[in-house]
Amino acid sequence: MMKNNGLKKEPGHSLIEVNGVVERFTMGEYVHSRSEEVGHMLELLREAFTEVAEQFNAYL
């Protein structure tokens, strides 16, 4: 419907503040000045959540 009207949806984005600096991450945009650092932190979080989930499942 939007295409029929010549409209285009803007990509979604997230804003985070780290040490007083606001960073913007846009959907579909893979180039960012801190993308390697963000990727590393996401991997650490994934590992931590996996460990907690495994411990939780062991008690079920």
Side-chain angles (χ1 to χ4, degrees):
M1 182 175 198
M2 288 178 63
K3 288 182 181 182
N4 293 340
N5 294 326
L7 300 174
K8 183 178 178 185
K9 183 178 178 186
E10 291 189 31
H13 64 270
S14 298
L15 300 173
I16 61 169
E17 182 178 345
V18 179
N19 297 327
V21 177
V22 176
E23 300 283 351
R24 178 180 173 144
F25 296 90
T26 303
M27 180 68 180
E29 186 177 281
Y30 300 102
V31 179
H32 189 277
S33 63
R34 299 178 74 182
S35 61
E36 188 173 326
E37 181 181 357
V38 170
H40 178 68
M41 182 55 68
L42 289 173
E43 178 61 24
L44 292 175
L45 288 169
R46 186 195 64 77
E47 290 171 3
F49 282 121
T50 299
E51 182 179 329
V52 169
E54 289 171 353
Q55 291 174 2
F56 178 77
N57 288 331
Y59 288 108
L60 295 180

